[in-house]
Amino acid sequence: MTSAREAAARRDELSANLQHVRERIRFACRAAGRLPEDVTLIVVTKFFPASDVEALCQLGVTDIGENRDQEASVKIAALSSEVRQRLHVHFIGQLQSNKAASLASYVDTVHSIDRVKLVRALDRAATAAGRDIGALVQVSLSGDSPGRGRGGVLPDGVAELAHSVAAAQHLTLRGVMAVAPLGVDPAKAFAQLATVAHGVRADHPAATWVSAGMSADLEAAVANGATHLRVGSAILGSRPLFG
Ligand SMILES: *Cc1c(COP(=O)(O)O)cnc(C)c1O
């Protein structure tokens, strides 16, 4: 059992970290001549318990990100209905088609669409669940090493995948997502993503989301037009290494 004192200490820690990250975002926006209101902070709560999600919600967080269905489905089910209703749940991890049905029951937006097979599975699952789900095409940027990369379609495959999402009945194409490859200057990676995002918007004007930037590189993402930041460790603390 967590004592009331421990819970209060954790809340203070999350509050301070959140304040610091929000300050970084404001600073990055000012430097880029952008409005902080145009950037959504998604707090990545993977590996951390439902109690942290509840505390974050009380601190004004509206968007959380998770990367494994098995963990997320249990965590979301443990939330009070009041918290659940206020939260927008983003799925940001690599995804197997056979998880689509589970995901469709609790996820609002999936950031990791990287193949047509997944579009079909998710659309079928959304239809069966009677829900509409937002979807972003995950882009593999220059410098991603095959196998070690974190998924995503190569830039020349983005348009076709975006069309298949847009054509799906119960998916809404929101835009693009990427992770800066290891060892690559994130500013360069996110500039490439901005070009890809621009191409997608030319075909689908409503697909305005650019999901990019994590704890270490959110400034570079804001400078390159990110609309959604996915920040975990800078707010929740470091994750266990075995995760
Ligand atoms: C874990 C994760 C994040 C958050 O990373 P931090 O470095 O902890 O901020 C962002 N995006 C994806 C896809 C992730 O898996």
Side-chain angles (χ1 to χ4, degrees):
M1 266 323 275
T2 323
S3 72
R5 188 188 298 171
E6 281 167 345
R10 179 59 170 158
R11 199 162 51 238
D12 289 349
E13 182 186 12
L14 292 174
S15 174
N17 291 346
L18 197 56
Q19 221 172 339
H20 183 234
V21 166
R22 284 185 174 139
E23 189 60 35
R24 282 176 63 191
I25 296 170
R26 269 195 299 276
F27 199 82
C29 282
R30 200 175 313 136
R34 301 184 58 200
L35 296 172
E37 300 86 81
D38 295 339
V39 177
T40 300
L41 171 62
I42 300 169
V43 180
V44 178
T45 48
K46 66 188 185 198
F47 298 114
F48 289 93
S51 57
D52 280 349
V53 177
E54 303 244 349
L56 287 164
C57 189
Q58 280 165 14
L59 294 167
V61 168
T62 54
D63 292 74
I64 63 155
E66 287 285 336
N67 75 335
R68 289 192 320 170
D69 170 61
Q70 215 177 350
E71 175 188 344
S73 56
V74 174
K75 198 182 301 182
I76 303 298
L79 299 173
S80 72
S81 62
E82 196 194 335
V83 165
R84 178 62 195 100
Q85 275 166 25
R86 276 168 28 202
L87 277 184
H88 189 112
V89 178
H90 302 258
F91 191 83
I92 62 173
Q94 280 185 37
L95 185 55
Q96 255 131 36
S97 317
N98 63 7
K99 302 284 190 204
S102 171
L103 225 62
S105 69
Y106 64 88
V107 142
D108 298 295
T109 304
V110 176
H111 290 230
S112 42
I113 300 290
D114 61 0
R115 56 200 190 278
V116 171
K117 189 180 170 205
L118 195 51
V119 174
R120 296 214 184 92
L122 202 58
D123 189 36
R124 263 198 309 274
T127 305
R131 301 184 68 219
D132 286 299
I133 295 176
L136 287 82
V137 173
Q138 182 173 351
V139 186
S140 171
L141 300 172
S142 303
D144 252 346
S145 38
R148 266 184 70 224
R150 308 216 213 172
V153 64
L154 291 170
D156 66 5
V158 170
E160 187 190 345
L161 198 50
H163 280 301
S164 93
V165 174
Q169 268 198 331
H170 290 274
L171 303 182
T172 305
L173 179 68
R174 298 282 185 217
V176 294
M177 175 273 216
V179 177
L182 286 173
V184 171
D185 174 6
K188 261 198 192 137
F190 296 144
Q192 186 191 10
L193 181 64
T195 304
V196 173
H198 189 263
V200 170
R201 278 199 306 277
D203 292 340
H204 311 276
T208 54
W209 292 23
V210 179
S211 167
M214 323 201 317
S215 293
D217 56 20
L218 70 87
E219 284 83 1
V222 168
N224 286 282
T227 62
H228 291 69
L229 308 173
R230 309 176 310 268
V231 180
S233 49
I235 295 170
L236 288 129
S238 48
R239 294 180 285 274
L241 282 175
F242 52 82

